[in-house]
Every structure is written in structure tokens, then in C-alpha cells.
Amino acid sequence: MYEILVPVDGSKPAARAVKEATVVAEGKKDAEITLIYVSPSPVYFPFYSMVGPSLDADVKEVEEKEGNQMLDDIIAEESKHTNVKFKKKHLYGIAAQEICDYANDTKKDLVVMGNRGMGAFGQVILGSVSNKVLHLANCPVMIVK
């Protein structure tokens, strides 16, 4: 089986990555696409811990619902146009690290992801998720503009 991982965040570049991954998958026998959405963990927001653990639980519940709904919507839309099998995964943490860990742990054959178009200066200062995944993933990474 040929397994493709596509990180999504609701952006136009991510939508283009899903389309491109579908084209790649249609050309491979028994290909499967896993869509992954990474929510930031509440621990990364100091404000939440000052308010209390109940807010952490509330934020996580909302993130879980919204993230899974986005994944379900993408799968429903794409499934109208292809017979490729889709799966979904919702994780929490730092996006680039979670994407790479998941791709490496599950031995994905390819990561296809959008490029937000951040300029070279922005990448030097902040780094982009796609740039980090490109350098940390153990499998090929296709970045779609």
C-alpha cells in the first residue's frame, strides 16, 4: 500500500495539497491518504494555565470538535471526486514536530503539504511548518504552492 500524509489547516495551500495528493494517489494501486490536523496544545498558551484546568478542557473540546469537523468535511468533498481511501488523524502539539513524528512512526511513503508562501525573511525569523517538515521527515516531502 502507498501511504500519503497530508497536513491540513483549512488554508487554500492545504486544499491544493489535498488535490495534488489525490492525483498522486489515483496513480498508485491501493493508495491511501491520511489527513492530519494538529491543534496547538493548551500548554503552549500561558494564559490558559492561569485561568485553570477547566479552560484547558473546554479549549481542547472545541479544538477536537472543530478539527474533526474540518477533516470530515474535506474527506466528504474529496470522496465525491475519487475512489481513493481517506483516513483522518487529529493531534495536539507543535505542528511540524507532530507531523514528522506521525509520518516517521507510521512509515508514510510521502508527505504532501501546502506552502503558505512565507517569504525568505519570515522563514529565517519564524521558520515555516513546511520547511521544518521538509528537513525532519524521513520520507519524501512534496510542497504544493
Side-chain angles (χ1 to χ4, degrees), residues 126-142:
L126 301 172
S128 70
V129 173
S130 58
N131 188 40
K132 289 177 183 173
V133 171
L134 180 66
H135 289 93
L136 296 175
N138 292 336
C139 64
V141 177
M142 177 190 297

Side-chain angles (χ1 to χ4, degrees), residues 62-114:
V62 169
E63 280 290 328
E64 187 79 22
K65 182 179 177 185
E66 290 179 358
N68 282 324
Q69 185 62 56
M70 181 182 60
L71 292 167
D72 290 340
D73 290 347
I74 293 169
I75 291 170
E77 181 61 31
E78 290 303 312
S79 294
K80 293 177 187 175
H81 311 288
T82 184
N83 290 326
V84 172
K85 182 179 177 189
F86 287 91
K87 292 186 347 184
K88 68 178 182 177
K89 186 70 176 176
H90 186 174
L91 299 173
Y92 293 86
I94 299 171
Q97 190 63 54
E98 293 298 326
I99 293 164
C100 289
D101 287 349
Y102 186 78
N104 295 341
D105 292 347
T106 59
K107 304 199 183 324
K108 296 299 182 204
D109 297 300
L110 176 66
V111 175
V112 179
M113 61 189 307

Side-chain angles (χ1 to χ4, degrees), residues 39-52 55-56 59 63 92-93:
S39 293
S41 178
V43 269
Y44 298 113
F45 299 104
F47 169 75
Y48 294 148
S49 42
M50 288 188 292
V51 174
L55 182 59
D56 285 350
V59 169
E63 280 290 328
Y92 293 86

